């Protein structure tokens, strides 16, 4: 009996010993579950590199559509054209991107001082738009143009002669014949309107407006409200054009401007109408 009574304490001691060991093992297993401070820091630092890219908020305007875009400030004009392609389907080669003039492809948005909220004007037609211009429409347009050539030139008509007979304004901007240039950063000035008064044209690309200024007042016209733009070289001074902005449904609404330098004519049409001109 003495031997039997001694065995249970030995068994209890063994069990307690095993119990302490299992508790220690449990603590040892639980401890590694918390990540070391250094490990957590290395993970967060890896995410911060993406956040360091400075983004700028842009409003892309194309074909009367507007797209809100956040874009890296240190990306180039070429990068922006690729992004515009993904938004609109307009190939980069067919894009004319304007921000205070034609957007340079090789410079970054930071270098040309693009700020948050800036409006980027895009001019161009998609390949589908070009293909939609079928042959019958082309032939009709050629017929209309041939009829127009038979008519008396606009500059010989009485209503225009009274302005053109005043001669070329002394302060008109210089012209460069046979060259197409983008719009200057300053207003086009020194021209005449239909009444023979001085007029200047200011293209507010950020506001999508054309400002027509005279001595008396300045008309601020949304470019989307201008139905058409027509022009014709001035006979005897082909390096200058007479140009009209159609503000209503008929020709009676034409606002005429005389002595527009020829190198800016195409840029004016592209900017106001928001599409490529096929003539």
């Amino acid at each position: 009996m003495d031997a039997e009574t001694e065995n249970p304490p030995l068994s209890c001691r063994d069990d307690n010993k095993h119990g302490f060991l299992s508790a220690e093992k449990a603590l040892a297993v639980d401890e590694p579950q918390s990540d070391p401070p250094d490990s957590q820091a290395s993970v967060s630092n890896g995410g911060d590199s993406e956040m360091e890219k400075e983004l700028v908020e842009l409003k892309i305007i194309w074909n009367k559509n507007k797209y809100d875009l956040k874009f890296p400030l240190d990306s180039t004009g070429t990068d922006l054209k690729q992004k515009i392609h993904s938004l609109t389907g307009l190939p980069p080669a067919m894009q004319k991107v304007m921000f205070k003039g034609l957007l340079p492809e090789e410079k970054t948005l930071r270098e040309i001082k693009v700020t948050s909220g800036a409006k980027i004007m895009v001019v161009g037609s998609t390949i589908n738009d070009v293909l939609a211009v079928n042959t019958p429409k082309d032939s009709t347009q050629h017929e209309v143009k041939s009829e127009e050539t038979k008519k008396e030139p606009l500059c010989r008509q009485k209503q225009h002669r009274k302005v053109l007979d005043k001669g070329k304004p002394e302060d008109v901007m210089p012209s460069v014949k046979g060259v197409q240039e983008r719009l200057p950063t300053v207003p086009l000035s020194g021209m005449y309107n239909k009444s023979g008064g001085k007029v200047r044209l200011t293209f507010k690309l950020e506001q999508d407006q054309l400002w027509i200024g005279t001595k008396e007042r300045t008309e601020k016209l949304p470019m989307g409200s201008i139905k058409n733009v027509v022009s014709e070289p001035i006979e005897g001074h082909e390096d200058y054009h007479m140009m009209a902005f159609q503000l209503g449904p008929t020709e009676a609404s034409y606002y005429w401007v005389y002595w527009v330098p020829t190198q800016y004519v195409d840029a004016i049409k592209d900017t106001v109408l928001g599409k490529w001109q096929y003539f």
Side-chain angles (χ1 to χ4, degrees):
M1 293 295 293
D2 293 340
E4 290 178 359
T5 56
E6 290 178 356
N7 287 335
L10 289 175
S11 176
C12 291
R13 285 195 299 270
D14 289 343
D15 289 343
N16 289 338
K17 182 177 181 181
H18 290 309
F20 290 137
L21 288 175
S22 62
E24 291 174 358
K25 287 179 180 180
L27 290 174
V29 171
D30 289 341
E31 287 176 358
Q33 291 180 357
S34 60
D35 294 332
D38 293 342
S39 175
Q40 291 178 346
S42 63
V43 172
S44 62
N45 288 339
D48 290 342
S49 61
E50 292 297 326
M51 299 299 294
E52 289 173 0
K53 289 185 178 179
E54 187 175 355
L55 301 178
V56 63
E57 295 183 359
L58 305 175
K59 187 174 291 293
I60 308 297
I61 302 174
W62 171 71
N63 200 21
K64 311 307 178 187
N65 296 317
K66 296 182 180 180
Y67 305 86
D68 293 322
L69 173 66
K70 289 185 178 180
F71 204 66
L73 193 56
D74 291 311
S75 297
T76 64
T78 299
D79 298 330
L80 181 58
K81 279 192 168 186
Q82 291 292 341
K83 185 62 178 179
I84 292 172
H85 180 204
S86 66
L87 289 174
T88 65
L90 184 62
M94 300 182 70
Q95 296 176 22
K96 183 180 287 188
V97 182
M98 289 176 286
F99 173 77
K100 298 181 180 179
L102 194 64
L103 184 77
E105 296 186 357
E106 70 282 358
K107 291 187 177 181
T108 66
L109 304 188
R110 188 188 301 275
E111 289 175 324
I112 61 175
K113 303 187 185 306
V114 174
T115 57
S116 190
K119 292 184 178 180
I120 306 295
M121 300 289 296
V122 182
V123 178
S125 299
T126 64
I127 295 176
N128 290 336
D129 292 336
V130 175
L131 294 177
V133 182
N134 53 38
T135 304
K137 289 183 180 179
D138 287 342
S139 61
T140 303
Q141 289 177 357
H142 287 305
E143 290 175 3
V144 171
K145 288 180 182 179
S146 63
E147 288 296 325
E148 290 177 349
T149 57
K150 296 177 183 178
K151 296 180 181 179
E152 183 182 27
L154 291 172
C155 60
R156 294 184 188 176
Q157 295 178 13
K158 184 178 180 180
Q159 60 173 326
H160 303 302
R161 281 259 49 104
K162 64 180 182 180
V163 179
L164 295 175
D165 285 346
K166 295 179 64 174
K168 184 170 65 174
E170 294 181 358
D171 57 345
V172 71
M173 298 181 71
S175 65
V176 183
K177 190 176 180 180
V179 175
Q180 295 182 6
E181 294 184 4
R182 61 190 178 93
L183 293 175
T185 56
V186 297
L188 296 178
S189 60
M191 301 168 292
Y192 289 142
N193 60 15
K194 193 173 182 178
S195 63
K198 285 298 183 66
V199 64
R200 65 183 177 276
L201 302 177
T202 305
F203 297 88
K204 293 289 186 179
L205 301 182
E206 296 84 359
Q207 302 174 35
D208 198 24
Q209 292 180 346
L210 168 61
W211 291 10
I212 302 178
T214 62
K215 184 179 180 181
E216 294 77 20
R217 60 182 179 177
T218 298
E219 295 284 349
K220 300 180 180 181
L221 305 174
M223 293 193 190
S225 69
I226 300 174
K227 310 300 181 184
N228 196 16
V229 181
V230 298
S231 69
E232 180 183 289
I234 298 175
E235 197 171 47
H237 299 275
E238 283 73 13
D239 49 343
Y240 288 93
H241 280 226
M242 48 188 294
M243 175 175 286
F245 301 95
Q246 184 177 348
L247 307 182
T250 65
E251 292 185 5
S253 65
Y254 279 2
Y255 187 99
W256 285 96
V257 178
Y258 303 87
W259 303 101
V260 179
T262 186
Q263 69 268 26
Y264 300 128
V265 170
D266 286 342
I268 292 172
K269 291 180 179 179
D270 289 344
T271 301
V272 172
L273 298 177
K275 61 183 179 182
W276 294 108
Q277 299 297 305
Y278 297 102
F279 50 85

